[in-house]
Amino acid sequence: ALLKSIKKNYEKDISSDFNISHNTVNRIINSFFEKYKVNYKHLSEVLRFDEFKSTKDANGAMILFIVTQKHKIIGIVENRQLKYLKKHFSRYPKNVRNKVKYIVIDMYKPYISLVKEIFPQANIIMDKFHILNNLSIALNKAIKRISFGYRSFF
């Protein structure tokens, strides 16, 4: 609603500044945004989910979903909580979601739940960065546990 209000005010300013009709400004602006609209009738066979934080003061991470073959961002969900993810991906018809074969994710449990429920035909692939990172943390913990155990002998 806020964005629509801002857009409407800008359109009025532009039309008066350039002495063109409001409808012309509206048509030009809409044609620009048309190429960035999400196509809810298509998803790639392979998707990748990745988080980012938009600003320092943002409450939580937002999620990108990316077509991995082209490394093209095809959408952003404002929150990575399961209810927001379900709401967003439920906009795609079931037959479109069923064509997704692989989804690359980190080990965030809501992603796993989402894939199983919303993309039942897709296989989950854990991304290598998070696998190696978790393996490294586990090995470090094991080494510390073992080394502390041997200290009692000296």
Side-chain angles (χ1 to χ4, degrees):
L2 178 63
L3 289 175
K4 284 183 182 180
S5 172
I6 291 169
K7 181 182 172 212
K8 194 171 253 183
N9 288 329
Y10 278 127
E11 287 176 6
K12 287 178 184 176
D13 291 341
I14 293 168
S15 65
S16 66
D17 289 349
F18 291 95
N19 199 24
I20 56 177
S21 74
H22 176 267
N23 288 337
T24 301
V25 174
N26 191 8
R27 196 171 46 255
I28 292 169
I29 290 173
N30 286 340
S31 70
F32 174 76
F33 286 108
E34 201 58 37
K35 78 177 195 181
Y36 295 104
K37 265 188 178 175
V38 177
N39 179 2
Y40 291 107
K41 295 178 182 172
H42 175 74
L43 277 171
S44 173
E45 289 184 351
V46 181
L47 295 176
R48 180 175 151 224
F49 295 173
D50 213 350
E51 299 92 19
F52 72 97
K53 197 163 182 150
S54 58
T55 60
K56 287 182 190 176
D57 60 341
N59 286 336
M62 297 203 294
I63 176 173
L64 300 172
F65 53 104
I66 302 165
V67 175
T68 55
Q69 298 96 329
K70 298 177 184 175
H71 300 288
K72 178 184 171 196
I73 296 170
I74 58 169
I76 299 174
V77 180
E78 73 273 6
N79 193 308
R80 71 182 201 146
Q81 291 177 353
L82 187 57
K83 68 180 181 179
Y84 293 97
L85 296 170
K86 280 184 183 180
K87 181 180 174 187
H88 177 80
F89 287 108
S90 293
R91 293 177 184 157
Y92 291 89
K94 189 171 185 157
N95 66 321
V96 171
R97 296 190 317 248
N98 284 342
K99 291 178 184 174
V100 176
K101 292 183 179 178
Y102 303 99
I103 299 181
V104 181
I105 59 173
D106 61 23
M107 295 177 198
Y108 184 55
K109 286 184 183 180
Y111 292 164
I112 296 168
S113 299
L114 176 79
V115 172
K116 287 180 179 178
E117 183 177 335
I118 303 294
F119 299 97
Q121 304 301 316
N123 293 300
I124 296 172
I125 299 174
M126 299 295 177
D127 77 56
K128 61 185 173 188
F129 170 80
H130 289 91
I131 290 173
L132 292 174
N133 190 41
N134 286 347
L135 181 62
S136 175
I137 291 168
L139 283 172
N140 284 335
K141 285 181 181 177
I143 289 168
K144 285 179 185 176
R145 244 191 344 261
I146 291 168
S147 66
F148 284 131
Y150 285 119
R151 284 187 186 172
S152 62
F153 292 112
F154 299 106

